[in-house]
Amino acid sequence: MFKKLRNRFLIVNLVSISIMMLVAFITIYTITYQNVQRETNMELYKVSDFYHSPYSPMGSQIPRGDGHGGGSGSGASSAAGSNADTSAERGTSTGTGTGASGSTSGSVESSGPGTGSGTDSPSGAMPSSAGRGGNGGKAGGEFGGNPGPGGDLNAPPARSVSFMIQTDDQWNITGTHSRFDMEDSFYKEALQKVDRSLVTEGERKTDQFALDGTDWAYVVDPSGEGYMIVFMDVTAQQGILTNLIYTFAVVGLAMLIVIYFLSRYFANRSIAPVREAFEKQKQFIADASHELKTPLAIINTNTDVLLANQEETIESQAKWLHYIKSETERMSGLTNDLLYLTQMDDSRSNLIHTTFNMSDAVESIILPMEAVIFEKNISLDYNIEPDLNVHGNREQIKQVILILLDNAVKYSGPKGSVNVTLQKLNHDVMLTVFNTGEGIAPEHLDRIFDRFYRTDSSRARKHGGHGLGLAIARSIVEQHKGEIYAKSVVGEGASFYVRLS
């Protein structure tokens, strides 16, 4: 039963954790995927914009309505006579590229995309003006524009491997461009992978495909009478997503294994108190049945004797009647003790707790029992510090003292001795009850406060009682937030300690 309970706990725990881990991974993967796709599309659009620019390899061939780049600038200079002062004016324009140089005489104009500046020189000197392009780059006169610092106007952004295919409106290749040498068959295969249903007039559409073990993203851009398709290698980006899945699978599996063993460990610990309570309940039922079985058998037997001798007088049958009464009283005491324990476990009656004199309570129990102890030939010594007060219920504490003292007298043996000590210990009050005798074996010390527990396996009742006294004492002490325990040396005796505050 407990194994099934533990397994159910493990299954519920693992399923709950697995669902939470899966939800967390899906969230992380979705966010990462969206970020990768966003960055890929941004890069694609940058490469596509490059091929539309007038300084790209295809710039002069690809019309673009929105006019990327362009602009005009002008500069003027004049010279008058050989000794004349010179003056120059600067003109600015927006766009990319360089301006053309001016002439030396009269007024000179220079125009062209970019920003230019003109200077003149006296009598026959050759003034010049030059503009600087916004894209920057080295010599690219073949595709328009003069060189600028730091780059190649003939190449697209180099963050990723990319190439471009230009087609007509029937999807026939009319031009290609790549920084790398690629075979014509590769361009054709790439074009065949393009999803032509994506094409929408006036809008750019993106998609992805795999070719020869490489992942490519592409953008289809309607351009003039045909289409321009820009392809970019996104194998690294896809690898990030793939590695994320593999990492989660490995880490998730490892975590589930660790969580399984941790859950099993804590499940066993969680079930242990339930198992213990269940075992105690079973033992309690068995012990209570045993305690009731003997008096019931005696009552039944004596009743049969009375019925078999109905003609006899009550006086002649008095012995059997006394046996019945004795066992009935025993059963009544057992029932009362069980009911009392039940009340204590249910927290049990709302008794009033007050501060009372513990020293007087101990003396009120010892003095009436001195005669009984003397009759059993047992010596009694006690040492009680006066005026020691504790907080609790006086009658219940007196019951604890009576149980411990009665227990000590029963097990001290003939010519034994009992010693009772009450003293102040730090901020608490310590009651110690010691008796000589056989003592208690170490394996029994932790269980003597259990209900119906007896140290003798044969459960002999030579000392009387039901095995509930110490259980009642522990229940009362625990209700008073105190502590009760026992120490013993086999063959010498046993000591019981009660600490109250």
Side-chain angles (χ1 to χ4, degrees):
M1 181 182 72
F2 291 102
K3 187 176 181 180
K4 290 182 179 179
L5 182 62
R6 183 199 66 187
N7 292 338
R8 289 179 180 177
F9 175 81
L10 286 176
I11 292 173
V12 171
N13 194 38
L14 289 176
V15 169
S16 301
I17 293 176
S18 299
I19 292 175
M20 289 189 291
M21 290 176 61
L22 187 60
V23 170
F25 169 74
I26 291 175
T27 303
I28 295 172
Y29 182 84
T30 301
I31 295 174
T32 305
Y33 177 82
Q34 291 175 348
N35 290 336
V36 170
Q37 290 298 109
R38 187 183 305 110
E39 292 178 1
T40 300
N41 290 339
M42 290 175 62
E43 191 72 16
L44 265 176
Y45 292 148
K46 287 180 181 179
V47 176
S48 177
D49 289 341
F50 166 81
Y51 281 111
H52 278 292
S53 69
Y55 300 102
S56 71
M58 310 299 291
S60 60
Q61 306 174 29
I62 304 171
R64 182 78 173 181
D66 55 359
H68 289 264
S72 63
S74 64
S77 64
S78 63
S82 59
N83 295 322
D85 293 336
T86 63
S87 62
E89 294 181 359
R90 297 172 182 256
T92 60
S93 64
T94 60
T96 59
T98 60
S101 62
S103 62
T104 62
S105 62
S107 63
V108 182
E109 291 185 357
S110 62
S111 64
T115 301
S117 64
T119 62
D120 66 330
S121 62
S123 59
M126 178 70 72
S128 63
S129 62
R132 178 170 299 173
N135 276 351
K138 65 180 182 177
E142 178 183 356
F143 302 104
N146 291 332
D152 185 0
L153 290 174
N154 198 19
R159 289 179 61 184
S160 301
V161 176
S162 62
F163 64 93
M164 185 273 292
I165 297 177
Q166 182 73 25
T167 71
D168 57 20
D169 57 359
Q170 300 299 319
W171 294 90
N172 297 315
I173 298 177
T174 59
T176 62
H177 181 268
S178 174
R179 291 188 300 170
F180 307 95
D181 293 332
M182 296 184 178
E183 298 179 356
D184 293 340
S185 59
F186 181 82
Y187 290 118
K188 293 180 180 179
E189 290 179 6
L191 185 58
Q192 290 175 357
K193 292 286 187 177
V194 174
D195 185 1
R196 301 179 186 182
S197 64
L198 292 174
V199 177
T200 303
E201 184 176 355
E203 294 185 10
R204 294 188 288 189
K205 297 294 184 179
T206 61
D207 200 3
Q208 296 184 10
F209 65 86
L211 180 62
D212 296 336
T214 303
D215 294 313
W216 296 93
Y218 65 89
V219 56
V220 180
D221 194 352
S223 179
E225 298 299 326
Y227 305 98
M228 185 180 72
I229 306 99
V230 177
F231 299 83
M232 187 175 67
D233 183 3
V234 291
T235 304
Q237 291 88 330
Q238 293 299 116
I240 293 175
L241 299 177
T242 303
N243 289 336
L244 186 62
I245 295 175
Y246 290 152
T247 301
F248 172 78
V250 174
V251 174
L253 182 61
M255 289 301 298
L256 285 178
I257 294 174
V258 173
I259 290 172
Y260 168 78
F261 286 104
L262 286 176
S263 298
R264 181 167 181 164
Y265 170 74
F266 286 109
N268 288 332
R269 291 197 61 179
S270 299
I271 291 174
V274 181
R275 186 198 303 271
E276 182 181 358
F278 182 77
E279 294 298 330
K280 284 185 176 181
Q281 183 181 17
K282 287 175 59 179
Q283 186 66 36
F284 173 78
I285 294 173
D287 293 338
S289 300
H290 179 85
E291 292 293 334
L292 292 172
K293 180 180 179 180
T294 301
L296 288 174
I298 295 174
I299 292 172
N300 187 60
T301 302
N302 285 275
T303 303
D304 289 339
V305 172
L306 291 175
L307 292 175
N309 299 279
Q310 297 182 16
E311 67 282 358
E312 299 291 335
T313 62
I314 294 178
E315 184 178 358
S316 62
Q317 303 294 322
K319 178 175 65 174
W320 315 116
L321 294 174
H322 284 302
Y323 289 159
I324 292 174
K325 179 177 176 55
S326 175
E327 295 304 322
T328 301
E329 291 176 350
R330 178 179 175 81
M331 289 177 60
S332 177
L334 174 61
T335 303
N336 291 334
D337 288 344
L338 291 175
L339 289 175
Y340 184 80
L341 277 173
T342 302
Q343 293 174 354
M344 297 292 293
D345 289 340
D346 291 337
S347 207
R348 318 173 149 108
S349 47
N350 297 323
L351 298 176
I352 298 175
H353 286 197
T354 59
T355 299
F356 65 93
N357 193 314
M358 180 75 170
S359 303
D360 291 343
V362 174
E363 290 180 352
S364 67
I365 297 297
I366 292 177
L367 295 178
M369 291 193 65
E370 280 185 322
V372 178
I373 296 173
F374 179 78
E375 289 180 358
K376 294 186 175 181
N377 197 21
I378 297 173
S379 62
L380 173 64
D381 294 321
Y382 53 91
N383 180 19
I384 301 174
E385 291 186 16
D387 300 325
L388 296 181
N389 297 322
V390 297
H391 185 76
N393 183 270
R394 179 184 178 91
E395 296 304 318
Q396 285 188 331
I397 297 301
K398 288 175 64 176
Q399 186 175 2
V400 172
I401 300 169
L402 179 60
I403 289 172
L404 294 180
L405 188 57
D406 181 66
N407 189 73
V409 172
K410 288 180 181 178
Y411 291 95
S412 62
K415 297 183 180 180
S417 63
V418 174
N419 183 272
V420 179
T421 303
L422 183 69
Q423 59 185 348
K424 187 78 171 180
L425 185 64
N426 297 327
H427 298 289
D428 299 329
V429 174
M430 177 70 76
L431 172 68
T432 305
V433 179
F434 169 79
N435 66 275
T436 58
E438 298 178 358
I440 304 171
E443 62 269 19
H444 299 301
L445 283 176
D446 292 334
R447 300 195 59 190
I448 57 176
F449 294 98
D450 293 344
R451 299 172 184 181
F452 295 110
Y453 186 79
R454 298 176 185 273
T455 56
D456 54 328
S457 57
S458 63
R459 304 185 60 84
R461 294 190 295 169
K462 61 182 179 180
H463 298 296
H466 316 289
L468 293 175
L470 292 179
I472 294 174
R474 181 180 65 176
S475 184
I476 294 174
V477 172
E478 288 179 351
Q479 188 183 18
H480 283 74
K481 311 299 181 183
E483 182 183 12
I484 183 170
Y485 57 93
K487 295 181 180 180
S488 177
V489 177
V490 177
E492 294 185 8
S495 297
F496 287 83
Y497 301 88
V498 176
R499 182 195 296 265
L500 297 171
S501 58

